[in-house]
Amino acid sequence: MRIVHFSDPHAGGGAEDWMAYFDKRWVGVFNYRFRRRFRHDLGKLEKAVSYILDTRPDVAVCTGDLTSAGQPGEFEKVRCVLEKLRNSDIPLIYMPGNHDCYVPRPKCVQAMKEMVAYLSCGRYTFEDFPCKIRLGGAEFLLLNTSRPSNLLCSWGFLYKEDSKKISAWCQEEKTLPRILVSHYPMTENHPILRMRHRLFGQKEVLELLHGNRIDLALCGHVHRPYLQYRSDGSVLECCAGSVTRNGSLVEISSSEGEGFKFKTIEL
């Protein structure tokens, strides 16, 4: 089994309607105009798509933040880049990030939900989360932790009912590698320093990861890539970082009886 994992393209642009100046979108637009557009190159996402199409993994996984402010036009920019991958026979898993769920404006929410259904080719919809699917020799648990939060924070929330579903699935016999896909990291080494960017409510799922009921978690949100380890030395969580900032993605491989192997691909 081979998985290619990428995250956080952060396509951006200007305010798409006057209401954007009266909700949180102005923060995302300001951030993009004066910071992100100098750091993130959407051309690197195009290179990532080409690499995936050339190397043909069993599954491609994107852990969110396709956009900077969750606006329909931003989703459209990324749709044009991901179209070839979506229309290939390589399954693509997409989990929305906090910037994709930036505000509760109906047209922004609808654009995000349409992107979920589009990239999944109808395998699941936003309303199905959390859900589990089997692809490429693995069982994927798809967990949404991204919801609109206040003006100054980028908090994520794992609801109790979602955590209970994940726990119930993890009590079932594990016949395939079990992989959790979520935008937010389940682990946090600097909870005070990163208070504005925290995930809340993940304790039960984190215990499942440490107990090997879930073999691996894939996430984004943090723009630098890293691996988080268990006490036995196995990888508990893989953060792909930002594909458009770092120009890299992560290739994950495994074979029967062996653990996961990780390789950073420089684009």
Side-chain angles (χ1 to χ4, degrees), residues 136-227:
E139 180 181 74
F140 293 89
L141 307 183
L142 310 187
L143 176 62
N144 177 45
T145 50
S146 299
R147 293 162 177 93
S149 62
N150 67 51
L151 188 66
L152 298 178
C153 293
S154 301
W155 288 334
F157 302 93
L158 204 171
Y159 290 170
K160 286 185 178 180
E161 56 267 30
D162 292 350
S163 184
K164 286 180 179 178
K165 283 187 178 180
I166 297 293
S167 296
W169 290 332
C170 289
Q171 301 313 309
E172 299 172 359
E173 182 183 1
K174 188 168 56 175
T175 59
L176 294 172
R178 186 175 284 153
I179 300 174
L180 179 75
V181 181
S182 181
H183 176 67
Y184 283 84
M186 293 293 123
T187 58
E188 181 55 77
N189 293 330
H190 307 286
I192 303 301
L193 292 176
R194 286 184 45 80
M195 182 56 69
R196 290 180 53 248
H197 306 276
R198 285 287 315 280
L199 172 66
F200 295 92
Q202 78 273 40
K203 181 180 178 180
E204 191 170 352
V205 171
L206 190 55
E207 289 175 353
L208 294 169
L209 277 160
H210 279 290
N212 290 295
R213 299 303 301 169
I214 300 173
D215 297 295
L216 176 66
L218 303 180
C219 67
H221 192 55
V222 178
H223 288 181
R224 59 172 181 81
Y226 65 85
L227 298 176

Side-chain angles (χ1 to χ4, degrees), residues 1-3 57-59 91 133-140 176-177 254:
M1 176 183 65
R2 195 162 58 87
I3 300 167
D58 296 296
V59 183
I133 59 174
R134 293 191 172 198
L135 290 172
E139 180 181 74
F140 293 89
L176 294 172
S254 72

Side-chain angles (χ1 to χ4, degrees), residues 7-262:
S7 196
D8 292 65
H10 282 293
E16 295 182 13
D17 61 72
W18 65 273
M19 286 296 293
Y21 296 103
F22 295 91
D23 61 31
K24 190 178 178 180
R25 280 178 290 170
W26 73 263
V27 177
V29 169
F30 183 90
N31 198 343
Y32 177 78
R33 286 294 193 190
F34 293 98
R35 188 166 70 98
R36 276 209 174 93
R37 70 189 181 101
F38 302 109
R39 298 182 178 183
H40 294 261
D41 178 5
L42 209 57
K44 293 176 181 177
L45 180 61
E46 295 177 355
K47 291 182 179 180
V49 170
S50 295
Y51 177 84
I52 295 169
L53 292 174
D54 289 343
T55 60
R56 305 195 61 77
D58 296 296
V59 183
V61 176
C62 175
T63 44
D65 277 358
L66 298 181
T67 69
S68 291
Q71 301 183 104
E74 295 174 348
F75 280 110
E76 188 57 35
K77 287 181 181 179
V78 183
R79 181 194 296 259
C80 294
V81 178
L82 295 179
E83 185 176 23
K84 288 183 179 179
L85 175 56
R86 185 265 182 191
N87 291 338
S88 73
D89 58 357
I90 302 168
L92 173 60
I93 293 174
Y94 159 58
M95 181 56 56
N98 59 298
H99 282 266
D100 302 330
C101 303
Y102 212 51
V103 292
R105 294 290 178 189
K107 71 175 186 178
C108 295
V109 173
Q110 185 61 28
M112 179 273 296
K113 290 182 176 181
E114 288 176 356
M115 184 60 80
V116 171
Y118 174 76
L119 293 181
S120 73
C121 293
R123 293 185 186 90
Y124 55 85
T125 67
F126 181 79
E127 285 75 14
D128 293 328
F129 296 142
C131 64
K132 60 176 179 175
I133 59 174
R134 293 191 172 198
L135 290 172
E139 180 181 74
F140 293 89
L141 307 183
L142 310 187
L143 176 62
N144 177 45
T145 50
S146 299
R147 293 162 177 93
S149 62
N150 67 51
L151 188 66
L152 298 178
C153 293
S154 301
W155 288 334
F157 302 93
L158 204 171
Y159 290 170
K160 286 185 178 180
E161 56 267 30
D162 292 350
S163 184
K164 286 180 179 178
K165 283 187 178 180
I166 297 293
S167 296
W169 290 332
C170 289
Q171 301 313 309
E172 299 172 359
E173 182 183 1
K174 188 168 56 175
T175 59
L176 294 172
R178 186 175 284 153
I179 300 174
L180 179 75
V181 181
S182 181
H183 176 67
Y184 283 84
M186 293 293 123
T187 58
E188 181 55 77
N189 293 330
H190 307 286
I192 303 301
L193 292 176
R194 286 184 45 80
M195 182 56 69
R196 290 180 53 248
H197 306 276
R198 285 287 315 280
L199 172 66
F200 295 92
Q202 78 273 40
K203 181 180 178 180
E204 191 170 352
V205 171
L206 190 55
E207 289 175 353
L208 294 169
L209 277 160
H210 279 290
N212 290 295
R213 299 303 301 169
I214 300 173
D215 297 295
L216 176 66
L218 303 180
C219 67
H221 192 55
V222 178
H223 288 181
R224 59 172 181 81
Y226 65 85
L227 298 176
Q228 188 76 32
Y229 294 87
R230 295 183 180 87
S231 57
D232 64 3
S234 62
V235 174
L236 177 147
E237 187 166 58
C238 171
C239 177
S242 169
V243 63
T244 54
R245 180 169 183 179
N246 300 303
S248 65
L249 41 76
V250 180
E251 193 168 83
I252 305 163
S253 60
S254 72
S255 56
E256 190 172 351
E258 297 184 6
F260 294 102
K261 297 179 180 179
F262 301 82

